[in-house]
Amino acid sequence: MTPKEFITKFLPYALETERKTGISALFILAQSALETGWGQHAPGNMMFGVKATVSTPPEKQQLVQTTEILTTDKAKYPVIIKIEKRPDGRFKYIVKDWFRKYDSPEESFTDHANLFMNNKRYAKALLVRSDPYKFAEEIAKAGYATEPTYAERLKGVIRTIEKNDKWQVTNDKWL
């Protein structure tokens, strides 16, 4: 899927989320693009890499390989494939962990929005929800991902979308 195809396909969900929450549709699209590789890796319609919790029903869980960057080599995961010490002193884990599974991409977009709206750790981010760049910084500070450069990577995807001179929302379509 090309970036244009990805945006065209998922823009309606991002716009609906923005309408309901005030979180920038540009941010939402960029985060989903980053988390799925522009739609190439979305097992179980998982568009944002939201982890399962103890309250997630078993039928809504899936064991998926992921990479985590941590400050300890003592972390526990259902399956640890590899742990590698990085030059910065942190540890890169290749693991399998439990993530949420969805019946549709739309369900994933809704759950993602609910995660931000209902989790106190994102309260500061919600204060800047209409600014995709500031929101990216704040969710990274709040611990959305373990990747130390997550905010910068996310802002890079935002810039990629914005650089296209056709980034205009008209009638819920990308022109």
Side-chain angles (χ1 to χ4, degrees):
M1 184 178 307
T2 67
K4 183 174 181 176
E5 291 168 337
F6 178 88
I7 293 165
T8 299
K9 182 173 183 175
F10 297 111
L11 180 59
Y13 304 129
L15 288 170
E16 180 62 14
T17 300
E18 181 180 73
R19 186 187 69 72
K20 288 179 179 175
T21 66
I23 298 170
S24 163
L26 177 56
F27 167 84
I28 295 162
L29 285 173
Q31 188 177 31
S32 185
L34 177 61
E35 292 287 342
T36 66
W38 295 99
Q40 301 303 310
H41 310 286
N45 294 304
M46 181 180 63
M47 303 302 296
F48 297 95
V50 176
K51 297 237 178 138
T53 64
V54 292
S55 64
T56 306
E59 68 276 8
K60 293 288 188 177
Q61 297 181 31
Q62 58 186 339
L63 196 59
V64 176
Q65 185 170 313
T66 190
T67 301
E68 303 288 352
I69 309 296
L70 304 173
T71 57
T72 179
D73 63 350
K74 306 270 188 270
K76 304 285 186 211
Y77 288 93
V79 178
I80 297 176
I81 298 167
K82 182 179 180 182
I83 305 172
E84 188 177 284
K85 189 162 186 173
R86 294 169 24 132
D88 65 3
R90 296 178 186 195
F91 296 88
K92 177 181 175 181
Y93 282 74
I94 307 295
V95 300
K96 288 188 178 181
D97 203 359
W98 292 103
F99 287 83
R100 294 184 190 178
K101 181 168 56 172
Y102 303 95
D103 294 333
S104 67
E106 181 178 15
E107 184 183 10
S108 180
F109 276 76
T110 299
D111 187 53
H112 176 252
N114 289 337
L115 174 74
F116 289 136
M117 300 307 288
N118 299 326
N119 191 321
K120 289 179 184 174
R121 77 178 185 182
Y122 298 114
K124 191 171 179 186
L126 289 172
L127 297 174
V128 293
R129 70 184 95 187
S130 63
D131 181 323
Y133 292 96
K134 288 180 182 174
F135 195 74
E137 291 170 7
E138 292 302 327
I139 66 139
K141 286 179 194 172
Y144 188 91
T146 61
E147 163 58 51
T149 62
Y150 189 74
E152 291 309 312
R153 292 179 64 210
L154 187 49
K155 290 188 285 186
V157 178
I158 293 167
R159 282 189 292 278
T160 297
I161 295 170
E162 280 184 321
K163 279 182 190 173
N164 188 310
D165 62 347
K166 296 183 179 185
W167 171 252
Q168 298 174 31
V169 177
T170 304
N171 297 327
D172 294 350
K173 292 191 173 135
W174 189 53
L175 302 174

